[in-house]
Amino acid sequence: MSAPLRVLIVDDSRDDAELTELALRDAGIEVEVRRAYGEAGLTDLLRDFRPQMVLSDVNLPGFSGAEAMGLSRAMLPGVPVVFLTGSAIGAPGEELPVGDGLVFKDELELLPDVVRGLVAP
């Protein structure tokens, strides 16, 4: 039996973070999850938890998914970053970041396949 996939979820909504984790578990993906609810704590979790995948909300209070991706990639190059969003409309003048994947929160059933595709050998 292989070790659980270490996943860091960056989302200001506890409910959305829990639904994200449940989508992975319900699909049979064994995960060890840590959560950051914004910029605070993200650096520590990247350093100490060393996730194998980062799932980040696009819009965070005072912080953005793009910033979370930049920090993640600076500290852990090569770790996939998948964005989660509730809306196809970004802030005015901004395009939605894509990272290594983009999943709408009302289509979380698609997330397990995205995750499997990124961690497949």
Side-chain angles (χ1 to χ4, degrees):
M1 183 170 170
S2 63
L5 179 68
R6 291 184 317 278
V7 176
L8 174 57
I9 298 174
V10 184
D11 200 316
D12 60 308
S13 166
R14 290 181 191 271
D15 290 343
D16 286 353
E18 287 177 9
L19 289 171
T20 299
E21 181 177 350
L22 283 173
L24 297 174
R25 291 186 187 281
D26 287 349
I29 299 175
E30 191 176 344
V31 291
E32 181 180 350
V33 174
R34 298 290 183 277
R35 298 180 186 146
Y37 298 97
E39 186 175 11
L42 178 59
T43 301
D44 290 341
L45 285 168
L46 289 169
R47 182 189 63 239
D48 299 336
F49 179 55
R50 301 199 55 80
Q52 296 166 286
M53 177 165 295
V54 175
L55 306 177
S56 178
D57 191 2
V58 170
N59 298 306
L60 301 157
F63 193 57
S64 72
E67 290 172 301
M69 179 175 66
L71 187 55
S72 298
R73 290 196 168 158
M75 293 182 68
L76 297 171
V79 169
V81 176
V82 175
F83 287 107
L84 307 170
T85 187
S87 172
I89 302 171
E94 289 184 24
E95 292 183 25
L96 286 175
V98 176
D100 296 296
L102 176 67
V103 175
F104 290 96
K105 290 183 177 183
D106 62 351
E107 297 178 337
L108 283 177
E109 69 275 6
L110 302 176
L111 182 61
D113 286 337
V114 171
V115 168
R116 285 184 186 108
L118 291 169
V119 297

